[in-house]
Amino acid sequence: MEYLKLIGIVIIILGFALKFDTIAVVIISAVATALVAGISVPDLLTLLGKSFVENRVVSLFFLTLPMIGVIERHGLKQAAVNAIKKLKNLTPGRILNLYLLIREVACAFGITLSGQVQFVRPLISPMVQAAAGARGKLTPKQIDLIKARSAATDNFGNFYAQNLFVASGGVLLMASTMKSLGHAVEPTSIVLYSIPMAVITFIITAIYNMRFDRQFNVKRNKKQED
Amino acid sequence: MTTFITNFLEVFYVLIGLIMLFAGIESFRDQENPARIGTGLFWVILAVIFAGAKFLPYLVIGILILILGLLSLFKQIKPGNIKGIDEKVAEKSAQRLGGWIFMPSVVLAILSIVIAQFTPLGGQIGIGISSVVALITAAVMTHANANTTYHDSERMVRSMGTAGILPQLLAMLGAVFTASGVGELTAKAISGVFPVGNHLLGVALYCIAMAVFTMIMGNGFAAFAVITAGIGIPFVVAQGGAPVVVAALGMTSGYCGTLMTPMAANFNSLPVALMEMKDNLGVIKQQAPVATVLLVIQIGLMYVLAF
């Protein structure tokens, strides 16, 4: 009955998949695993407490929140919006790629604004639609595609650049988990080994976005020159 | 030095406790939140754990964690009514500061790397010191006072909500799995059907499992704790793979899964709702080709870099 110990994995997979309360699912999974492994209740509580305290380092990013809060009050979003607004008169693909670059650089410096809400919806998607629409009227399907691509570009930048910031939740979680597993690694080394994927993702997404231009026939600059 | 660093870190945990306490106080005071008591308790308990870990027995902390779980289970933690920022003040300040507003973030990122690389203090102390320096930089530049800084802190913590503490709880779960021998067990189970020792197959198994489990669970962090213990360690690290490469690329392999699953609602469904898109899976369809290519590249990259 040794395999009963895997109950915790089953609980966490089902719990997340079925969208139960995440905090409760994680704690129930930990409790169930320890109980099945034959750990007594007092020892279980001690194990929970010890494991939580020893992993406090994962939450070190809370220390960066007051600073982000202060600069947010003093125009962080507005400054970013002003910078992005300068991306006018470009093809849809280039707007997307410059936004991708801005997003990756910002992530590397720990600025993880909620991109979909603060930039994609109000700014990037309308700008790309305007750029694509300058050539001719867009079909509803094309508009839907532009919205989806704008959202996707934000996600690519966000996911593959966030580990470039040493105080990000992901980097701290990796360092702490690897330590618990007996293979301690430095957060700064994790950042170093996250660079290749950030660069590769940028290149691949950039090519992908340049090809996106083709479906809007964005060759008007060339034609005007002719 | 190690004892010094441990004690020094404790100072930063007290500071985190303080920030959480701010969030707790303001949650209690939020009359419009029907779950204000539970939400306030949630943050105050966390504040006590962070600041008081040195003085509390682990057993007591374990009980406090169970209470956090119960509060969350019974929906007693809600963000409530969080006061937003004044757009006019922000606009005016953005006019005055321009791009300099990004300065504190740059200070934070660069100083923490510098301290980690060029002093014996290490990365964690580096993050702590540079967070404080960056906050002071931000306060001086924006002429922020103690009152607004207090509210900026509590606003950030409260809007992050329970999601902010999830990574640490997942790390705790990973530690409990290790203590209960779950990693060894999954390794044993999988090695029955899967050859151990082939580097490339091990790497592929780990990366694909990260992606698949992230798709199922909708959360790369959760998958990381489980899959790294069960597959990453026995099939890659134990075969001689460098732990740092396994961690960094394993996590991003998980993100390939995030890009392809409707389970990651924040990233793939939220835009659909925000922009009133017709195709519910539109964002995922745009992401899937790139995510698949990236996964293959990461398998190759991990194989090359780890061994």
Side-chain angles (χ1 to χ4, degrees):
Chain A
M1 288 321 279
E2 202 192 1
Y3 283 100
L4 260 183
K5 272 196 237 170
L6 300 182
I7 186 85
I9 297 187
V10 176
I11 292 174
I12 191 140
I13 291 171
L14 286 181
F16 273 78
L18 298 175
K19 302 251 179 247
F20 289 144
D21 182 86
T22 49
I23 301 287
V25 165
V26 174
I27 295 173
I28 291 169
S29 167
V31 171
T33 304
L35 285 179
V36 172
I39 297 172
S40 70
V41 173
D43 285 350
L44 153 76
L45 291 169
T46 306
L47 177 63
L48 280 188
K50 186 165 180 279
S51 309
F52 189 75
V53 167
E54 284 178 352
N55 283 299
R56 274 182 300 171
V57 65
V58 177
S59 296
L60 211 51
F61 67 88
F62 270 86
L63 274 179
T64 66
L65 295 180
M67 180 274 282
I68 303 276
V70 168
I71 60 175
E72 194 182 72
R73 178 188 295 274
H74 292 92
L76 175 68
K77 187 189 139 196
Q78 287 74 8
V81 166
N82 290 340
I84 292 169
K85 274 187 184 158
K86 289 187 184 141
L87 307 180
K88 277 183 208 155
N89 303 323
L90 294 170
T91 67
R94 288 205 182 144
I95 295 176
L96 288 169
N97 285 342
L98 280 167
Y99 176 63
L100 176 70
L101 184 67
I102 293 172
R103 190 80 162 99
E104 288 210 5
V105 171
C107 269
F109 288 105
I111 302 169
T112 46
L113 295 161
S114 169
Q116 305 289 0
V117 180
Q118 300 193 328
F119 297 104
V120 173
R121 165 83 176 81
L123 208 58
I124 301 301
S125 167
M127 281 171 66
V128 176
Q129 285 179 43
R135 175 79 183 136
K137 207 171 177 311
L138 297 173
T139 64
K141 203 180 164 214
Q142 283 179 318
I143 293 177
D144 232 36
L145 270 183
I146 290 175
K147 289 173 178 173
R149 180 61 68 95
S150 307
T153 301
D154 183 79
N155 282 338
F156 290 137
N158 176 30
F159 279 117
Y160 289 92
Q162 59 178 261
N163 293 341
L164 299 181
F165 180 56
V166 72
S168 66
V171 168
L172 295 169
L173 173 70
M174 283 185 252
S176 203
T177 304
M178 293 309 280
K179 196 177 160 196
S180 304
L181 296 174
H183 299 274
V185 291
E186 271 293 319
T188 40
S189 327
I190 294 178
V191 170
L192 185 69
Y193 280 98
S194 297
I195 296 174
M197 277 321 289
V199 175
I200 291 171
T201 305
F202 180 81
I203 295 170
I204 290 178
T205 310
I207 297 169
Y208 188 53
N209 284 339
M210 293 314 278
R211 291 174 61 94
F212 191 57
D213 281 349
R214 287 191 195 168
Q215 47 191 310
F216 305 108
N217 251 336
V218 188
K219 286 173 189 148
R220 66 176 185 282
N221 291 340
K222 226 181 206 171
K223 279 196 178 161
Q224 278 164 1
E225 280 161 25
D226 287 346
Chain B
M1 198 67 200
T2 324
T3 350
F4 173 74
I5 288 178
T6 314
N7 289 331
F8 200 173
L9 260 181
E10 210 62 38
V11 175
F12 293 117
Y13 292 139
V14 171
L15 288 179
I16 294 176
L18 197 63
I19 301 169
M20 290 170 161
L21 183 66
F22 296 166
I25 292 170
E26 291 307 312
S27 298
F28 275 129
R29 289 179 56 187
D30 178 8
Q31 299 291 347
E32 288 169 43
N33 184 355
R36 68 189 187 94
I37 306 287
T39 313
L41 261 180
F42 176 78
W43 289 118
V44 170
I45 288 175
L46 281 172
V48 167
I49 296 177
F50 270 83
K54 249 188 132 91
F55 312 101
L56 292 170
Y58 287 140
L59 183 85
V60 174
I61 295 175
I63 294 170
L64 290 175
I65 290 166
L66 288 190
I67 296 174
L68 295 182
L70 288 172
L71 285 172
S72 191
L73 186 65
F74 291 102
K75 309 273 174 259
Q76 290 310 304
I77 309 166
K78 296 200 167 98
N81 175 40
I82 301 167
K83 259 182 264 166
I85 50 172
D86 186 341
E87 294 279 332
K88 273 184 204 145
V89 173
E91 197 61 61
K92 218 173 140 193
S93 176
Q95 293 289 331
R96 184 173 72 86
L97 291 166
W100 288 101
I101 192 73
F102 300 109
M103 189 64 189
S105 296
V106 175
V107 167
L108 170 61
I110 292 178
L111 189 60
S112 48
I113 297 272
V114 167
I115 294 174
Q117 291 301 325
F118 302 107
T119 72
L121 293 169
Q124 295 156 2
I125 299 284
I127 294 166
I129 294 176
S130 42
S131 297
V132 175
V133 174
L135 175 61
I136 294 169
T137 312
V140 170
M141 277 175 46
T142 62
H143 315 299
N145 59 35
N147 182 38
T148 57
T149 309
Y150 166 85
H151 282 292
D152 288 335
S153 307
E154 58 93 4
R155 182 186 77 242
M156 291 299 291
V157 174
R158 286 170 67 204
S159 29
M160 187 176 277
T162 55
I165 203 68
L166 187 62
Q168 189 182 342
L169 280 170
L170 288 166
M172 173 197 83
L173 179 65
V176 172
F177 279 174
T178 309
S180 311
V182 169
E184 292 148 40
L185 193 62
T186 45
K188 205 172 92 184
I190 297 167
S191 60
V193 288
F194 197 88
V196 186
N198 184 312
H199 292 172
L200 184 59
L201 282 179
V203 166
L205 176 71
Y206 174 55
C207 291
I208 293 170
M210 272 301 300
V212 169
F213 278 84
T214 304
M215 285 175 79
I216 299 171
M217 297 159 82
N219 186 309
F221 286 4
F224 184 80
V226 180
I227 303 299
T228 304
I231 300 176
I233 299 294
F235 287 91
V236 189
V237 175
Q239 309 305 320
V244 62
V245 178
V246 172
L249 293 174
M251 184 68 97
T252 43
S253 296
Y255 294 163
C256 292
T258 316
L259 293 170
M260 294 192 281
T261 177
M263 294 301 302
N266 273 350
F267 304 103
N268 301 334
S269 308
L270 177 78
V272 172
L274 274 178
M275 296 189 275
E276 292 159 352
M277 290 168 53
K278 290 179 189 68
D279 185 354
N280 279 329
L281 295 176
V283 180
I284 294 176
K285 283 180 191 163
Q286 291 294 310
Q287 288 169 171
V290 174
T292 313
V293 172
L294 289 177
L295 184 59
V296 174
I297 292 176
Q298 285 179 107
I299 293 172
L301 203 59
M302 187 186 286
Y303 177 66
V304 172
L305 292 177
F307 293 102

